[in-house]
Amino acid sequence: MITLDGRAARTGAVLRRFARSTTMTLLCVTVAGYLALGLASSGDFFQGPATRTFLQYLATPILIGLAQMAALCVGQLNLAVGALGGFTACLTGALMADSGVPAPVAVVAGVAVATLVGLMTGVFIVVTRINGFIVTLGTMTILLGAQYRLTGTRTIDGYSPALKDLGRAAPLNLPLVFLTALAAAALLAAFMHRATAGRRLLAAGGNPLAARLSGISTDRQIVLAHTLSGLLVGVAAVTATAALPGVNSSVGGDWLLPSFAAPIIGGVALNGGSVAVLGTVLAAFVMRLIDAARAQFSLDPSWVNFLIGLVVLGTVVGGHIHRTHLERQGKAQGRTPPVPVGRGPTADAAPPNAKGTR
């Protein structure tokens, strides 16, 4: 009976924390926004074709948000998300259309190239000790030039019809590209929270000094984070190539802001040490709802970008205020630490030395 009461108490505590979390807020906003758009469209938004289209173009925001989150979890930024995704999409399309490479081989090659670029970026940051912001900014510039070199002013649309059919496939009105994004999110969540390598990533991002003292190589975690980010960008590029009618030099040009907005709104800290996979997915859903509302009500796209940027800025400022408040509370409580009963500040209370003696 005590065990059952303890489990019930723990479950209640978890539910109370979830009810006050950012994820719960985003879930409520998502449901409310989806219902509002459906009612505003007289139910057309709930129909099969509209649902398929909505979810089909939701896959890419989810994946690029997860890719940025992988870099943010160790306190890094990846400004090359859009450029790498656009280059990978154009490379995959060019391999099939220009070189006649079979679709499976081209897809694997595209994902492998994106992963390799992420790996090289992480290694360059570690070796040179240059800030990741500068390195990924340079990588972005190089990749934009390479993307234009591949496509020029043309649109590559003569690639594998089987890949396009796969991008349009939607059993039970659930596009396969959307299910791929959800599968990637589930695998990433399991890796971060269950695998030893994922927990080391979070430890290195949360407190690099403590991680090094514990024997965790922070340099290795930076390389792993950028490699994982490149892999997710590669998957996003493949889903975009499959879903779009063609690829050109504009693909990936509008990915940078959503890649930051989804994890930041979802609750990921910019200084590292945390992930929020479900929050990132829900934030991408909210941004897709905003984009759908823009199309439905013929809103100016600049106002949509302004709104998303304002939400991101407000989230960052709110998080900073909350952390400052918690730090002040911690310092206030630490001014008068409690003294154990019957014991004063004697040598017996001194911390142990390296040999474990007092």
Side-chain angles (χ1 to χ4, degrees):
M1 186 66 182
I2 297 176
T3 303
L4 292 176
D5 290 342
R7 289 180 179 177
R10 287 195 296 270
T11 303
V14 170
L15 292 176
R16 284 193 297 271
R17 285 197 300 270
F18 180 75
R20 295 192 298 265
S21 66
T22 303
T23 303
M24 184 62 183
T25 303
L26 288 172
L27 182 60
C28 294
V29 171
T30 299
V31 173
Y34 188 79
L35 293 176
L37 277 179
L39 294 175
S41 63
S42 300
D44 292 339
F45 191 68
F46 298 142
Q47 301 299 320
T51 301
R52 280 198 306 272
T53 303
F54 179 85
L55 295 178
Q56 183 180 18
Y57 292 105
L58 177 59
T60 299
I62 290 175
L63 289 167
I64 60 176
L66 296 175
Q68 194 65 253
M69 187 188 71
L72 288 173
C73 76
V74 292
Q76 293 279 312
L77 302 175
N78 189 358
L79 299 183
V81 164
L84 179 57
F87 170 75
T88 304
C90 292
L91 175 63
T92 305
L95 286 175
M96 290 182 288
D98 298 342
S99 303
V101 177
V105 178
V107 166
V108 172
V111 174
V113 167
T115 306
L116 181 61
V117 170
L119 172 64
M120 293 173 61
T121 301
V123 171
F124 192 83
I125 292 172
V126 169
V127 171
T128 62
R129 300 297 175 184
I130 300 176
N131 189 282
F133 179 91
I134 303 300
V135 174
T136 56
L137 180 62
T139 304
M140 178 185 71
T141 306
I142 294 172
L143 290 172
L144 287 175
Q147 181 182 1
Y148 187 79
R149 179 69 178 176
L150 276 175
T151 60
T153 57
R154 63 178 177 139
T155 296
I156 302 175
D157 56 2
Y159 48 85
S160 172
L163 184 62
K164 293 184 178 181
D165 292 340
L166 190 66
R168 291 191 294 263
L172 301 177
N173 290 324
L174 294 175
L176 289 182
V177 290
F178 173 69
L179 296 178
T180 301
L182 292 185
L187 290 174
L188 183 61
F191 173 76
M192 287 295 184
H193 297 292
R194 300 295 180 182
T196 302
R199 292 196 294 268
R200 286 177 177 173
L201 274 176
L202 297 178
N207 193 330
L209 178 59
R212 285 195 295 270
L213 294 176
S214 301
I216 298 174
S217 172
T218 53
D219 290 345
R220 193 175 301 165
Q221 307 316 311
I222 291 175
V223 174
L224 176 60
H226 280 280
T227 303
L228 187 59
S229 180
L231 172 62
L232 290 167
V233 171
V235 177
V238 170
T239 59
T241 305
L244 294 173
V247 292
N248 52 35
S249 58
S250 67
V251 175
D254 56 350
W255 287 13
L256 186 58
L257 176 60
S259 75
F260 278 105
I264 291 174
I265 297 174
V268 178
L270 287 174
N271 54 354
S274 67
V275 291
V277 176
L278 181 57
T280 300
V281 172
L282 291 174
F285 204 108
V286 171
M287 290 189 297
R288 183 73 183 94
L289 285 173
I290 294 174
D291 192 56
R294 176 196 63 79
Q296 182 171 334
F297 300 108
S298 301
L299 301 177
D300 189 347
S302 61
W303 282 104
V304 176
N305 292 333
F306 173 77
L307 178 60
I308 294 176
L310 192 63
V311 171
V312 172
L313 183 60
T315 304
V316 173
V317 172
H320 176 71
I321 294 174
H322 180 64
R323 286 193 301 272
T324 303
H325 178 67
L326 292 179
E327 289 174 0
R328 288 177 179 175
Q329 280 186 338
K331 291 179 180 179
Q333 294 173 358
R335 290 195 189 101
T336 56
V339 179
V341 177
R343 297 180 61 180
T346 63
D348 191 39
N353 60 17
K355 295 182 180 180
T357 59
R358 296 273 179 193

